[in-house]
Amino acid sequence: MSIQGLIESDLKTALLGGDKLKAETLRGLKSALLNEAISEGARDSGLSDDQVQKVLGREAKKRTEAAELYEKGGSLERAEKELAEKALIEQYLPEQMDDGEVAKIVDEEITKAGDITIKDMGRIIGAVRTRTNGQADGSTIARLVKERIK
């Protein structure tokens, strides 16, 4: 079953089971996926799993950023809700690599590239992103590459 099919199925289950948070979160995901399909001109054909993962990753990141803002503003209850939504979204994403695994790939790419400067950072980040295939956060990759290049 595709990720979208799984989300659809889980939404029905959440609605029938009365799980408000899950139903609300999945409705939001479904809407984000539909918006992405429309903007990509793929409303009839649907999104590929890679495209779906990118949208889900973006939605998870939005929840993290919102939670941080709520925490700074002193609204811990709203921050917890955002983090709970993020946890639900992450269930549909591939398992994330830990920093050690990502650092190893970063080191391999830097070694492969040879003599590099800070100007090569974008190229290295792109190569690492390709190799991690959505299993590592872009900000983590960028931080590790920057640390290694300095």
Side-chain angles (χ1 to χ4, degrees):
M1 178 181 286
S2 72
I3 298 171
Q4 284 183 290
L6 186 59
I7 289 171
E8 188 76 36
S9 171
D10 288 351
L11 175 58
K12 287 178 187 174
T13 304
L15 288 169
L16 292 173
D19 187 342
K20 278 179 119 177
L21 177 68
K22 190 169 189 175
E24 186 180 304
T25 303
L26 294 177
R27 275 191 184 130
L29 286 181
K30 197 173 159 191
S31 176
L33 291 168
L34 178 61
N35 289 338
E36 182 74 10
I38 291 169
S39 73
E40 293 292 323
R43 186 170 184 176
D44 295 330
S45 61
L47 298 171
S48 69
D49 276 349
D50 273 353
Q51 290 171 311
V52 170
Q53 286 180 3
K54 284 180 185 172
V55 172
L56 296 180
R58 213 170 32 233
E59 291 297 313
K61 186 175 181 181
K62 283 181 189 176
R63 301 316 191 280
T64 302
E65 291 168 352
E68 288 171 4
L69 291 174
Y70 283 134
E71 276 183 29
K72 286 180 185 173
S75 183
L76 297 179
E77 191 174 299
R78 291 176 95 174
E80 287 174 13
K81 181 180 184 270
E82 293 292 333
L83 292 175
E85 287 183 12
K86 178 187 178 212
L88 280 169
I89 294 168
E90 286 178 337
Q91 293 175 0
Y92 302 97
L93 289 168
E95 190 174 320
Q96 296 293 294
M97 294 178 166
D98 65 31
D99 281 7
E101 292 173 298
V102 178
K104 183 180 175 204
I105 294 171
V106 168
D107 291 339
E108 289 171 4
E109 288 300 324
I110 288 174
T111 302
K112 204 186 307 180
D115 191 29
I116 58 169
T117 65
I118 198 77
K119 292 179 182 176
D120 300 309
M121 189 171 158
R123 185 170 45 90
I124 300 296
I125 290 172
V128 173
R129 280 191 133 175
T130 301
R131 286 190 52 194
T132 57
N133 197 23
Q135 292 182 295
D137 180 51
S139 61
T140 301
I141 294 171
R143 177 179 50 81
L144 292 170
V145 169
K146 194 171 187 177
E147 287 172 6
R148 299 297 195 278
I149 290 178
K150 284 185 176 179

